[in-house]
Amino acid sequence: MTSSTERMIAEKDGAIGWMVFNNPLRHNAVSTDMWQAVPEILDAFENDDAIRVIVLAGAGEKAFVAGADISQFEETRSSPEKVQEYEDMTASAFERIAACTKPTIAMIDGYCIGGGLGIALSCDLRYAAEGSTFGIPAARLGLAYPLGQTRRLVNLVGPACSKEIFFTAKRYGAEEALAMGLINQLFSKEDLREHVLATCASIADNAPLTVASEKQIVDEIGKAPGNFDAAYCNRLIGRCFASEDYAEGRTAFMEKRRPRFRGR
């Protein structure tokens, strides 16, 4: 598969779509062309029925994503108008990851800082290698973190931990990130990829409509009470019960065989 920039790699491996941030000399700091490529890659993955799960990773051995490319800030964030344009671009990337109808996994090995943590927060699952580092240095740069990503952080780790992360701008080790709920699980560097692949295989074996529906329902439940759409959730539930996959699941259970789900 192709990307509009060589600094973003899009690869298909069976049921897995790999989106790799490929700027290792700058610890995969995200440049403008990389932000813009994120929605393009996810559009292609979503339109491929063979892809059941998407993994986001960083190239090299030192970083997932070490934040936005600060070297571009003078060009991209030096005036209120440019700041708004840049914020719109990054928000579009964050929201596209979060709104993806297929499960997304952040495979974190190394630095996961600032905008990199924002990318990980937009994913459904976060698995990390020992020695990885997490943090949001916004207070050391004098900028404000995006509202959507702040909300996701609070939903994940709670107000108190979120305030500590923002107020101190400190870097947290992988064990601390696990303890506060920032990541799902922690593995050795050697075992991380194997676990992610095993998780992808497990997801890919399950009914795509069920996985997609529950992803959307969980996200809907996380919204403010006034924005929760129960009717939408019930439509998703009804779609599963009316699907061919539900009939296949029942039949496979009675016949004591593995189901063959087709996502319809």
Side-chain angles (χ1 to χ4, degrees):
M1 305 184 75
T2 60
S3 167
S4 59
T5 172
E6 63 182 11
R7 289 189 261 196
M8 291 295 289
I9 298 173
E11 294 182 338
K12 177 181 175 180
D13 180 15
I16 306 172
W18 288 88
M19 182 163 69
V20 181
F21 294 84
N22 184 37
N23 192 12
L25 293 180
R26 299 189 63 82
H27 292 163
N28 300 322
V30 187
S31 53
T32 298
D33 56 331
M34 296 167 73
W35 287 118
Q36 293 171 337
V38 168
E40 299 170 3
I41 294 171
L42 291 177
D43 285 349
F45 286 165
E46 275 198 335
N47 290 327
D48 188 333
D49 291 338
I51 291 178
R52 298 287 183 89
V53 59
I54 299 167
V55 179
L56 284 67
E61 299 179 352
K62 294 185 178 180
F64 171 65
V65 174
D69 190 344
I70 297 177
S71 70
Q72 293 186 330
F73 278 16
E74 190 61 31
E75 175 188 351
T76 61
R77 306 177 85 173
S78 58
S79 69
E81 294 78 17
K82 288 185 176 181
V83 166
Q84 187 59 56
E85 182 179 341
Y86 186 88
E87 292 300 303
D88 290 344
M89 177 183 64
T90 57
S92 177
F94 290 140
E95 294 304 320
R96 186 63 188 86
I97 297 169
C100 185
T101 58
K102 297 180 180 181
T104 53
I105 298 175
M107 188 175 79
I108 302 164
D109 187 0
Y111 297 114
C112 183
I113 307 294
L117 183 52
I119 290 168
L121 289 170
S122 294
C123 293
D124 298 306
L125 304 173
R126 287 155 294 280
Y127 298 121
E130 294 172 349
S132 296
T133 306
F134 303 80
I136 299 176
R140 292 184 180 171
L141 295 169
L143 54 81
Y145 209 59
L147 176 59
Q149 302 314 96
T150 300
R151 180 182 294 111
R152 290 187 177 99
L153 180 65
V154 173
N155 286 343
L156 194 62
V157 304
C161 286
S162 297
K163 288 177 181 178
E164 180 183 302
I165 290 170
F166 285 120
F167 293 174
T168 66
K170 67 173 284 189
R171 292 188 177 184
Y172 295 84
E175 291 80 6
E176 293 175 293
L178 179 64
M180 70 173 67
L182 198 55
I183 57 178
N184 290 79
Q185 293 188 63
L186 181 62
F187 301 93
S188 68
K189 291 177 73 72
E190 297 76 18
D191 292 340
L192 175 62
R193 185 180 180 89
E194 180 181 348
H195 174 81
V196 169
L197 291 176
T199 302
C200 289
S202 178
I203 293 171
D205 276 345
N206 292 328
L209 288 179
T210 299
V211 172
S213 295
E214 293 304 332
K215 168 182 164 69
Q216 294 172 74
I217 290 170
V218 170
D219 288 344
E220 194 70 25
I221 290 172
K223 292 181 179 179
N227 295 325
F228 174 69
D229 190 341
Y232 172 65
C233 294
N234 284 324
R235 287 196 299 273
L236 293 174
I237 293 170
R239 182 182 68 168
C240 289
F241 281 113
S243 70
E244 294 178 18
D245 280 353
Y246 176 50
E248 165 64 11
R250 299 196 316 271
T251 302
F253 179 80
M254 296 300 294
E255 295 177 353
K256 295 182 172 56
R257 60 171 175 81
R258 291 180 62 180
R260 294 182 291 272
F261 295 122
R262 299 183 178 182
R264 56 175 188 254

